[in-house]
Amino acid sequence: MISLNESILKRIAEEEKVPFEHIKNGVEQGTIVVPMNKNHRLLKPCAVGAGMRIKVNANIGTSQDLSDLAGELEKLKAAIGAGADAVMDLSTGGDIDAIRREIINQCPVPLGTVPIYQAAIEAATKKKSLVEMTPDEIFAVIEKQARDGVDFITVHCGVTLQSVARYKEEGRVAGVVSRGGAFMIEWMNFNKAENPLYSQFDRLLDICREHNVTLSLGDGFRPGCTADATDRAQLEELLILGELVDRARQAGVQAMVEGPGHVSLDQIETNIKIQKEICKGAPFYVLGPLVTDIAPGYDHITAAIGGAWAAYFGADFLCYVTPSEHLRLPTLEDVREGVIVLRIAAHAADLAKKAPGAADWDRAMSQARKKLDWTKQIELSINPPYARQVFESAPQKESGVCTMCGEFCAMKKMNEVLDDKK
Amino acid sequence: MISLNESILKRIAEEEKVPFEHIKNGVEQGTIVVPMNKNHRLLKPCAVGAGMRIKVNANIGTSQDLSDLAGELEKLKAAIGAGADAVMDLSTGGDIDAIRREIINQCPVPLGTVPIYQAAIEAATKKKSLVEMTPDEIFAVIEKQARDGVDFITVHCGVTLQSVARYKEEGRVAGVVSRGGAFMIEWMNFNKAENPLYSQFDRLLDICREHNVTLSLGDGFRPGCTADATDRAQLEELLILGELVDRARQAGVQAMVEGPGHVSLDQIETNIKIQKEICKGAPFYVLGPLVTDIAPGYDHITAAIGGAWAAYFGADFLCYVTPSEHLRLPTLEDVREGVIVLRIAAHAADLAKKAPGAADWDRAMSQARKKLDWTKQIELSINPPYARQVFESAPQKESGVCTMCGEFCAMKKMNEVLDDKK
C-alpha cells in the first residue's frame, strides 16, 4: 500500500475541491498517483488519476542536432507560464546530466524523464554503439536520475521478447515510433536477451521505492499511424504493463501507464476502457491521441481533438503535442502553443465530466460576454495576452462591440430589446 | 420529391466513391442536399448529407466596421485554396448587392447567404430602424438573392412567438447569439407579430423551388455558451424546424438544418441524434460545436474538437470557426487557418466512419513517414506550404531525419535493425 505526505495530499484535495479521503484512498489503491521525488523540492505537486482534474505535460529537451541549455530553460519557463502541470526533460544532446539537474532545480512541477535515452547515448558515445550498454549501466543511470530528484520516469518494460514476437508477426505500416521502444528492441536484437527493464523489474521497483519515483510504464508499441492502432502488438504490451502495475502496487511504488499515439476517433473510447480494465484503474497518460496522420504542422490540433475525448472517456494525463511534431524540434513558441491547446482539451473534458468548479470558468466568461465586458473576457481567456492582441488589432468603431458583427452584435441587441442582460 | 440534374449527381457519386443510386435516393428523400441554384454556374458542386464525405463551409463578408470588397475576394480565394467545400457571404457593410454578386461570380463552390441581414440593414438605412421592414421587403431581398444565384440561404424560420415564449421562460446565461435570430426577435417584439419567415413559409418555399435554392433552417436559439446548451428554447425551435423540413420536402425544396453552437463534449452525441430523429434525417449543418467558452483566440480549435465528434456522430456539414471568433472580424490568415483546421476535423470523422477512400490518405502519409520520404510527406500534408516552412526552418544535420529526434529517430533505427521498412 502506498502512503504519501498527508499535508501535501490535503493541499491537493483543496485545490481539486474533492474530499481528502478520496485522494488518500486513490493513492493507496493506485488509481491516483502524486509524482513527487523525495529529493525534488516541488512547489506545485499535482495528483493524476481517478476524479482528478485532467493534467497536461509538456516535453522539452535538447536533441543531438539542437542542444542549448539556456533555450531549454526558456522552454521550461514558457511551459510553466502557459499552465503545464508537469514537464518531461527528454534531452538527448549536450551535457545531459547538467541539463537535467538545472531543469529539476528550476522546475516547480513534477519532472519526468526517459532514462534509457541517457543510458543509450552514453553507451553510444563511450562504446560506439548503444547495444553495448550493460543492464548495470542502465540501472546506474536510472539510479542517478532518481537521486537527482526526477519525479516520474518512463520505462519501456513492456517491450519484451514476447511482445516483439507479436510485433513481428503483426506487420505494421509505421512500425515502432517510440524512441525508447526502438532502443530496447535494438538492444534485445543484438544481445539476444530479454529487456532488463522487464527481467529485472524488481530492481527498478527498489530504486523507485527508495526515492519515491513514480513509474510511467511506457508504450514502446504505441501506434505511430492510425492504420496500426489497437493491434495485437499494442495489446500484448498492455497486458504485460497490467501485470507490472500489479507488481508495482504490491511493492508500494506508484505507477501510471502510457498510451497511444495515433488512434482514429472510433477507437478512442475502446482504447481508454481496455486500459482502465486491464490495468485495474491505473492512471492513464496519453500522447494525443492524434486522430489523423495527415496534418503535420497541426498535430497540436489532431492531439487536442483526440485528447479531449480520451480524457472525457477516462484518460487522466495528456502529453502535449506541438505544431512541430513530425517536422522539427519544437521552438519556444511551439511549447507555449502546445500547452495552451492541450489545456483547452483538458478543460473541455473537465467541463463535460462536471469536475468540481470546472463550469464556473465557462459561466464567468459567458456572463462577461453577455455584459460585453471585454476587460473581463480577456482576463478570463486561457491566454489573455494573445486574446488581447487579437482583440486590439481590430479597433472597435462602436463602443462595446467587436468588429465581427459591429452594431449588429446579437448580444447588444438582445440586451436592448428584451433587456435580458443578467 | 426532389430531383436534380443527373449528370451532376453522377459526377458527385464518382468523387464520393459511392453508387449513383445512393445519392439519387438521398436527394429524393431529403437526407442529402446538393445546393445548386439554377442561376449559379457552379464549377465544384457538392453533396451534403447521409453517407457523403463531411463538408466544410467558410464564412466571409464585410461588417459595418470593416468593409472592403477586394479584401473579401481575397478571403474567398484563400478559403477555396485551403479546400472549403462551400462559402457563405455574410456581408453587413458596404454595397451588399455588389459584394454578393462579385463573390457569386468568382465562387466555384456553393455560396450561401443570410438574406435577413441585408433586409434589416436596408430597412435600418432607409427607415432609421430595422423593425420597420415589411414582410414584402424581406421576401423581396430573398427573391433578389435567389435570382442572383445564391445556392443556399439561412432563414431563421423557427424563431416564432412560441419559441420566443419558451426562451423568455427559460432564463439563459448568454441569451440569443444568432444575429439573424436577434433581428427577428427585435422585429417581432416591436411589431407584435409572428415571424413572417414562419407565417409565410410557403412563400419562401415558392422562391426556393423556382430557383432551386436550398433552405438552411437557421437556429436562432443556438446556445451561445455551454451553460445554455440543450435547453428548452433550443429544443422548441428544433421541433418547429422538423415540421418545416417536412413541408419543404413536400414542396420539392431541398432543406438542411443548422445546429449549435456552444456544447460541452457530453452533450454532442445527444444533440446530433435528436436532430437526426426530429428532422427525419435532414442534413445537419453545425457551427462548431465549441466545447468550452474559455478560449477566445483558439475557437477554431474548440470548434475542431466539437466538430470532429459531431461529424463522427452524424453531423454532415461543419461551418468553420476562425481564431478571431469572439474577438474581431477574421483576417485573410484567419480564413485560411479556419478552413484547414475544420478540414482536419472533417477528415478525422471521415476516417473514423470509414468513408470510401478516406484511409488511403493517412496510409500514404504513414508509408512516406516510414520511408523517411520528406518530399512525399510534405506533398501529402493538409497544408503543404506550411509543413514545408516548418520542416525547412530547422535544417537536418543527419540526412533523412528531422531535428526532433535526430539520429535517434525510431523509424530510422527500426528500418536498420529489423529491416521492417515497407
Side-chain angles (χ1 to χ4, degrees):
Chain A
M1 200 157 79
I2 296 149
S3 75
L4 297 172
N5 180 319
E6 291 214 346
S7 71
I8 289 178
L9 296 191
K10 277 180 186 152
R11 199 176 113 196
I12 291 174
E14 272 174 37
E15 283 167 13
E16 297 268 355
K17 301 187 176 69
V18 298
F20 164 69
E21 290 300 325
H22 174 86
I23 295 198
K24 186 167 181 287
N25 294 341
V27 167
E28 283 173 5
Q29 289 156 19
T31 58
I32 294 175
V33 295
V34 182
M36 39 189 273
N37 188 310
K38 287 176 185 165
N39 311 317
H40 186 200
R41 205 172 55 89
L42 203 51
L43 297 176
K44 292 182 186 172
C46 71
V48 173
M52 302 293 94
R53 190 171 50 73
I54 305 300
K55 304 303 183 299
V56 171
N57 175 76
N59 290 337
I60 61 171
T62 59
S63 77
Q64 298 262 315
D65 285 3
L66 287 171
S67 166
D68 168 22
L69 172 59
E72 294 307 318
L73 292 174
E74 283 302 311
K75 287 184 192 172
L76 173 66
K77 264 191 220 163
I80 301 299
D85 299 291
V87 170
M88 290 188 81
D89 168 24
L90 305 186
S91 289
T92 58
D95 183 344
I96 297 176
D97 280 330
I99 293 166
R100 179 182 59 258
R101 284 166 189 159
E102 195 49 39
I103 288 176
I104 291 174
N105 191 34
Q106 299 195 19
C107 186
V109 299
L111 190 279
T113 59
V114 189
I116 197 70
Y117 291 177
Q118 184 174 18
I121 287 156
E122 285 182 357
T125 310
K126 283 189 292 193
K127 303 181 179 183
K128 310 265 189 268
S129 172
L130 71 91
V131 296
E132 295 176 69
M133 67 184 165
T134 65
D136 285 350
E137 286 169 333
I138 295 174
F139 285 102
V141 167
I142 294 172
E143 196 151 14
K144 173 169 66 176
Q145 297 200 359
R147 271 198 312 269
D148 281 353
V150 167
D151 301 293
F152 61 103
I153 54 172
T154 294
V155 272
H156 299 86
C157 308
V159 175
T160 66
L161 293 173
Q162 193 172 323
S163 57
V164 172
R166 275 255 143 78
Y167 164 73
K168 287 181 182 168
E169 193 272 344
E170 180 85 44
R172 279 187 166 185
V173 174
V176 167
V177 299
S178 152
R179 270 193 296 191
F183 281 152
M184 293 324 304
I185 291 170
E186 191 174 358
W187 189 93
M188 291 160 71
N189 196 59
F190 179 85
N191 292 285
K192 312 276 175 237
E194 184 55 281
N195 177 353
L197 296 172
Y198 178 74
S199 59
Q200 301 187 44
F201 188 64
D202 287 335
R203 194 169 168 185
L204 191 56
L205 291 176
D206 288 341
I207 298 171
C208 290
R209 195 176 38 240
E210 186 181 343
H211 302 280
N212 192 22
V213 172
T214 299
L215 281 177
S216 188
L217 296 166
D219 55 336
F221 291 107
R222 73 165 175 271
C225 71
T226 51
D228 292 341
T230 329
D231 71 353
R232 294 187 297 267
Q234 182 194 327
L235 269 289
E236 172 69 40
E237 183 180 40
L238 183 64
L239 300 183
I240 296 167
L241 298 184
E243 291 167 350
L244 299 181
V245 165
D246 282 354
R247 286 173 62 185
R249 287 176 180 177
Q250 283 157 15
V253 168
Q254 299 194 92
M256 55 187 169
V257 174
E258 297 185 11
H262 294 231
V263 184
S264 56
L265 296 174
D266 53 314
Q267 296 179 23
I268 291 179
E269 183 174 3
T270 303
N271 266 271
I272 306 301
K273 292 192 170 161
I274 197 76
Q275 185 277 352
K276 285 282 176 180
E277 209 54 49
I278 293 297
C279 300
K280 299 181 183 163
F284 199 16
Y285 178 22
V286 297
L287 181 72
L290 281 61
V291 296
T292 168
D293 310 309
I294 53 86
Y298 298 86
D299 278 324
H300 55 318
I301 296 174
T302 63
I305 296 172
W309 286 85
Y312 175 62
F313 291 128
D316 305 287
F317 192 17
L318 304 180
C319 185
Y320 86 168
V321 173
T322 81
S324 283
E325 186 77 17
H326 299 112
L327 292 170
R328 70 174 175 199
L329 197 71
T331 64
L332 187 63
E333 197 36 61
D334 289 332
V335 168
R336 197 175 282 120
E337 190 75 359
V339 173
I340 295 283
V341 169
L342 270 292
R343 278 187 62 215
I344 292 170
H347 177 71
D350 284 335
L351 179 69
K353 290 165 74 182
K354 307 194 192 309
D360 297 345
W361 187 4
D362 294 77
R363 181 173 288 264
M365 172 65 89
S366 305
Q367 287 167 335
R369 284 215 171 105
K370 184 67 178 161
K371 288 178 185 154
L372 298 168
D373 181 342
W374 294 95
T375 308
K376 193 90 187 157
Q377 287 179 64
I378 285 166
E379 184 188 311
L380 287 167
S381 297
I382 190 148
N383 186 354
Y386 181 64
R388 179 175 299 109
Q389 178 196 322
V390 175
F391 179 64
E392 292 181 351
S393 72
Q396 312 157 275
K397 282 193 183 156
E398 174 142 355
S399 158
V401 295
C402 83
T403 54
M404 179 78 174
C405 304
E407 65 177 288
F408 299 112
C409 173
M411 287 195 159
K412 181 161 183 269
K413 283 212 167 295
M414 293 302 294
N415 291 344
E416 290 162 4
V417 175
L418 293 191
D419 191 26
D420 63 2
K421 190 167 169 177
K422 302 284 156 190
Chain B
M1 200 159 79
I2 294 149
S3 75
L4 296 172
N5 180 319
E6 291 215 344
S7 71
I8 290 177
L9 297 192
K10 277 180 186 155
R11 199 176 111 194
I12 292 174
E14 271 175 37
E15 283 168 12
E16 297 268 356
K17 300 187 177 69
V18 298
F20 165 70
E21 289 301 325
H22 174 88
I23 295 197
K24 187 167 181 287
N25 293 342
V27 167
E28 283 173 6
Q29 289 156 19
T31 58
I32 293 174
V33 295
V34 181
M36 39 188 276
N37 188 309
K38 286 175 185 167
N39 311 317
H40 185 201
R41 203 173 55 89
L42 203 50
L43 297 177
K44 291 183 187 172
C46 70
V48 172
M52 302 292 95
R53 191 172 49 75
I54 305 300
K55 304 303 184 297
V56 171
N57 176 76
N59 290 336
I60 62 171
T62 59
S63 77
Q64 297 261 315
D65 285 4
L66 287 171
S67 166
D68 168 22
L69 172 59
E72 295 307 317
L73 292 174
E74 283 301 311
K75 288 184 192 171
L76 174 66
K77 264 191 222 165
I80 301 298
D85 299 290
V87 171
M88 290 189 79
D89 169 25
L90 305 186
S91 289
T92 58
D95 183 343
I96 297 177
D97 280 331
I99 292 166
R100 180 182 58 259
R101 284 166 189 157
E102 195 48 39
I103 288 176
I104 291 175
N105 190 36
Q106 298 195 19
C107 186
V109 299
L111 191 279
T113 59
V114 189
I116 198 71
Y117 291 176
Q118 184 174 19
I121 287 155
E122 285 182 357
T125 310
K126 282 188 294 193
K127 303 180 178 183
K128 309 262 189 270
S129 172
L130 72 90
V131 297
E132 294 176 70
M133 66 184 165
T134 65
D136 284 350
E137 287 169 333
I138 295 174
F139 285 101
V141 167
I142 294 172
E143 196 152 15
K144 173 169 65 178
Q145 296 200 359
R147 271 198 312 271
D148 282 353
V150 168
D151 300 294
F152 61 103
I153 54 172
T154 294
V155 273
H156 300 86
C157 307
V159 176
T160 67
L161 294 172
Q162 193 172 324
S163 57
V164 171
R166 276 257 143 79
Y167 165 74
K168 287 181 182 168
E169 193 271 343
E170 180 85 45
R172 277 188 168 185
V173 174
V176 168
V177 298
S178 152
R179 272 194 294 192
F183 281 153
M184 294 323 304
I185 291 169
E186 190 173 1
W187 188 93
M188 291 158 72
N189 195 59
F190 179 84
N191 293 285
K192 311 277 176 237
E194 183 56 281
N195 177 353
L197 296 172
Y198 177 74
S199 59
Q200 301 186 43
F201 188 65
D202 287 335
R203 195 169 167 185
L204 191 57
L205 291 176
D206 288 342
I207 297 170
C208 290
R209 196 176 36 241
E210 187 183 341
H211 302 280
N212 192 23
V213 172
T214 298
L215 282 176
S216 188
L217 296 165
D219 54 337
F221 291 108
R222 74 165 174 268
C225 71
T226 51
D228 292 341
T230 329
D231 72 352
R232 295 187 297 267
Q234 181 195 327
L235 269 288
E236 173 69 40
E237 183 180 41
L238 183 64
L239 300 183
I240 296 167
L241 298 184
E243 291 165 352
L244 298 181
V245 165
D246 282 354
R247 287 173 62 186
R249 288 177 178 177
Q250 282 156 16
V253 169
Q254 300 193 91
M256 54 187 170
V257 174
E258 297 184 12
H262 294 231
V263 183
S264 56
L265 295 175
D266 54 314
Q267 297 180 23
I268 291 179
E269 182 174 3
T270 303
N271 267 271
I272 306 301
K273 292 192 170 161
I274 196 76
Q275 184 278 348
K276 285 284 176 181
E277 208 54 47
I278 293 297
C279 300
K280 299 179 184 165
F284 199 16
Y285 178 22
V286 297
L287 182 70
L290 281 61
V291 296
T292 169
D293 309 310
I294 53 86
Y298 298 87
D299 279 324
H300 56 316
I301 296 174
T302 63
I305 295 173
W309 286 85
Y312 175 62
F313 291 129
D316 305 286
F317 192 17
L318 305 179
C319 186
Y320 87 168
V321 174
T322 81
S324 284
E325 186 77 16
H326 300 111
L327 293 170
R328 69 173 176 202
L329 197 70
T331 64
L332 187 64
E333 198 35 60
D334 290 332
V335 168
R336 197 175 283 122
E337 190 75 359
V339 172
I340 294 284
V341 170
L342 270 292
R343 279 186 61 214
I344 291 170
H347 177 72
D350 284 334
L351 178 69
K353 291 165 73 183
K354 306 193 193 309
D360 298 345
W361 186 4
D362 294 77
R363 181 173 286 263
M365 173 65 88
S366 305
Q367 287 166 335
R369 282 213 173 108
K370 183 67 177 161
K371 288 179 186 153
L372 299 168
D373 180 342
W374 295 94
T375 308
K376 194 87 186 162
Q377 286 179 63
I378 286 167
E379 183 188 312
L380 287 167
S381 297
I382 191 149
N383 186 352
Y386 181 63
R388 180 174 299 110
Q389 178 195 321
V390 175
F391 179 65
E392 291 180 352
S393 72
Q396 312 157 277
K397 283 193 184 155
E398 174 141 356
S399 157
V401 296
C402 84
T403 54
M404 179 78 175
C405 304
E407 65 176 289
F408 299 113
C409 172
M411 286 193 159
K412 182 161 181 271
K413 280 209 168 300
M414 292 303 293
N415 291 343
E416 288 163 5
V417 175
L418 293 191
D419 192 25
D420 64 2
K421 189 166 170 178
K422 304 281 157 192

